[in-house]
Amino acid sequence: MILKLARRALKLLLWFALGSALLVLLLRWLPPPFTGLMVERKIDSWTSGQPIDLQRSWQPWETLPDNLKMAVIAGEDQKFANHWGFDVAAIKAAFEHNQQGGSIRGASTLSQQVAKNLFLWSGRSWLRKGLEVWFTGLIELLWSKERILEVYLNSVEWGEGIFGAEAAAKHHFGIGAAYLNNQQASQLAAVLPNPIRWSAGKPDAYIQRRASWIRQQVRQLGGSHYLNQIKSEAPDWWPQWLPKP
């Protein structure tokens, strides 16, 4: 009986691995129609008795402004172009900080945030963290850096029911994402640690200081020249008959 259960568990695990890899591969080209976080927010609104309308409008990489791409990288993951999904130094520093008690510090890269927001749920557990590692690895293996950032900017939460750069720009500034100026882009990036608590359109003193720091970091990173480091290239192992990521 134990051996039979072990075989069934192994089969389920293999099917999950194959199915999740296929899903991630398909989403390399297909815009995700929704995310796990969007579903979670919708269900929470129903259970609370205060339904919300989710706002999201997918924008391709070419339409998303460089200043917002760079502001998000500067504020959330400055090693984005060079890591393979995990910032080991930041994880170690966050672990040591959290061991001391007090406020909890995170160390999630943009790739990890995409994995969590797109496929998983909120909360802290070893199961969710393990799945986050798995999906982050798949994303880094099967997607280009451009695609990771494209999906991130179209999926990240920027207010209650506000998802993606286009909806955020219209909600907070009354314009399309393509027309964001540097200050507006930095304010959007500045609220990402807690977009429900803070408003990009009505920033308090802390968000204004953080936005100013982000603009400074963008300049130090080289501005839009940094984006040249994440130009889409196919890995060496990529089959010739498949479209390049």
Side-chain angles (χ1 to χ4, degrees):
M1 180 64 70
I2 294 177
L3 184 59
K4 189 176 293 186
L5 289 174
R7 287 176 177 172
R8 289 181 179 178
L10 181 59
K11 285 183 179 180
L12 287 174
L13 188 61
L14 290 174
W15 276 112
F16 169 77
L18 180 61
S20 58
L22 180 59
L23 175 61
V24 171
L25 181 60
L26 289 175
L27 292 179
R28 171 59 190 85
W29 298 284
L30 302 177
F34 55 86
T35 70
L37 183 59
M38 292 173 67
V39 173
E40 184 178 338
R41 293 290 188 256
K42 193 67 173 179
I43 293 175
D44 287 345
S45 73
W46 289 337
T47 57
S48 67
Q50 298 178 329
I52 60 174
D53 292 326
L54 303 181
Q55 300 178 43
R56 181 178 184 241
S57 179
W58 182 274
Q59 298 295 312
W61 172 265
E62 295 77 14
T63 305
L64 294 167
D66 285 356
N67 57 8
L68 182 59
K69 296 170 186 175
M70 283 305 305
V72 166
I73 290 173
E76 294 290 298
D77 185 3
Q78 295 190 11
K79 297 180 181 177
F80 177 64
N82 302 313
H83 65 62
W84 289 87
F86 306 95
D87 187 341
V88 178
I91 292 173
K92 182 179 179 181
F95 177 78
E96 293 174 351
H97 171 83
N98 297 338
Q99 288 291 97
Q100 299 173 4
S103 61
I104 301 297
R105 178 189 296 176
S108 293
T109 63
L110 292 179
S111 304
Q112 288 176 271
Q113 292 182 50
V114 169
K116 179 180 66 176
N117 293 339
L118 189 57
F119 300 108
L120 304 175
W121 61 93
S122 301
R124 296 177 180 274
S125 68
W126 287 111
L127 173 61
R128 195 198 65 79
K129 201 63 180 178
L131 290 172
E132 179 185 314
V133 171
W134 169 252
F135 278 106
T136 300
L138 287 178
I139 287 171
E140 282 284 340
L141 181 66
L142 299 175
W143 293 3
S144 67
K145 290 289 187 178
E146 282 185 3
R147 180 59 172 178
I148 294 172
L149 188 54
E150 179 185 30
V151 173
Y152 179 89
L153 290 174
N154 278 289
S155 304
V156 67
E157 186 176 33
W158 257 306
E160 189 173 3
I162 309 300
F163 291 88
E166 183 71 10
K170 289 181 177 178
H171 175 78
H172 292 292
F173 303 112
I175 58 176
Y179 303 102
L180 290 168
N181 60 37
N182 291 340
Q183 181 171 340
Q184 292 166 336
S186 65
Q187 288 174 198
L188 283 172
V191 303
L192 284 178
N194 196 334
I196 302 299
R197 175 184 174 186
W198 295 311
S199 170
K202 299 177 180 179
D204 58 18
Y206 168 74
I207 292 301
Q208 290 177 354
R209 290 194 302 270
R210 179 168 166 78
S212 177
W213 175 83
I214 286 174
R215 292 194 296 273
Q216 179 184 16
Q217 294 301 301
V218 168
R219 291 191 293 270
Q220 291 183 0
L221 288 171
S224 59
H225 295 292
Y226 180 98
L227 297 175
N228 293 329
Q229 299 180 53
I230 63 173
K231 287 299 182 182
S232 177
E233 293 182 1
D236 293 338
W237 54 266
W238 196 260
Q240 295 296 320
W241 50 272
L242 279 178
K244 291 185 177 181

